[in-house]
Amino acid sequence: MFCQHCGKEIVEGQVFCQHCGMRLVAEDNVLGVTPSGDGRSKTPWEDRATNGFFNGLFKTVKEVLFSSSAFFKKMPVKGGLADPLLFAMIIGTMGLMFLSVWNLLLHDSMESIMTPEMRSAAGRGMSDSIASPLGTLMIPFLLIIWLFVISGMLHLFLMMVRGEKAGFEATFRVASYSVSPFLFMAIPYCGVLLTPVWALTLAMIGLRDAHETTGGKATAAVLFPFLFCCGMMVLAAVLFMGAIASSFGAMMHMYK
């Protein structure tokens, strides 16, 4: 018999490995998770009693980023909000702290790769606020507010397309674990561009597998805010051009 954590040989029947000290997992539960009646099981982070704090955190991040579909298919849709919320606060705070450091050290060059919207006064103000000492202390609290707001929006849009099957808690869990790509903010320049794309992709996969709905409905729920904004911009442009055309026609009629 071998330890599932360090791979060294151990005596059968032991509870803890004498080499690494980790709690041993039964052969029928190699992943260190407890199956539930619906075929779902605890994430490594939620089963910290078996995996340990840091190992559970690392394994969860690894599974979310590189085995996302398998992770969300087995992720429990119930079990409380505290564990996924704490996970998102830890990973999100680490990522935003990295962003804060790069913003201070490489402010001008990083600003040059941002979109016009990100370079707006509001965007710069938010970035500078995060970089300030008070803003740094507020990061965990802002993350909590952001998670509940974004989860509420995603769940509402998912209900609009009739893709909601597992309740708000499942959506909140998806949003929380989809924060994993925030760690890529540790990479200057490309990290700030990669993070939102990867996070949105994980949200689509997570909603699809957690709610057991179609990929189209999950994608629509995630992209609806962007599609709505684009639609409103197109409508505003059409109305604006129509108003100009109408005014021009009226002027031409007056000079006839």
Side-chain angles (χ1 to χ4, degrees), residues 15-39:
V15 178
F16 295 92
C17 174
Q18 72 269 28
H19 303 290
C20 65
M22 295 296 294
R23 185 182 182 90
L24 300 176
V25 185
E27 291 297 329
D28 59 348
N29 188 19
V30 176
L31 294 179
V33 292
T34 304
S36 61
D38 57 1

Side-chain angles (χ1 to χ4, degrees), residues 76-98:
V77 295
K78 293 182 180 179
L81 306 181
D83 281 335
L85 176 60
L86 180 59
F87 174 88
M89 287 178 63
I90 294 172
I91 300 300
T93 299
M94 290 173 62
L96 291 176
M97 288 290 288
F98 282 123

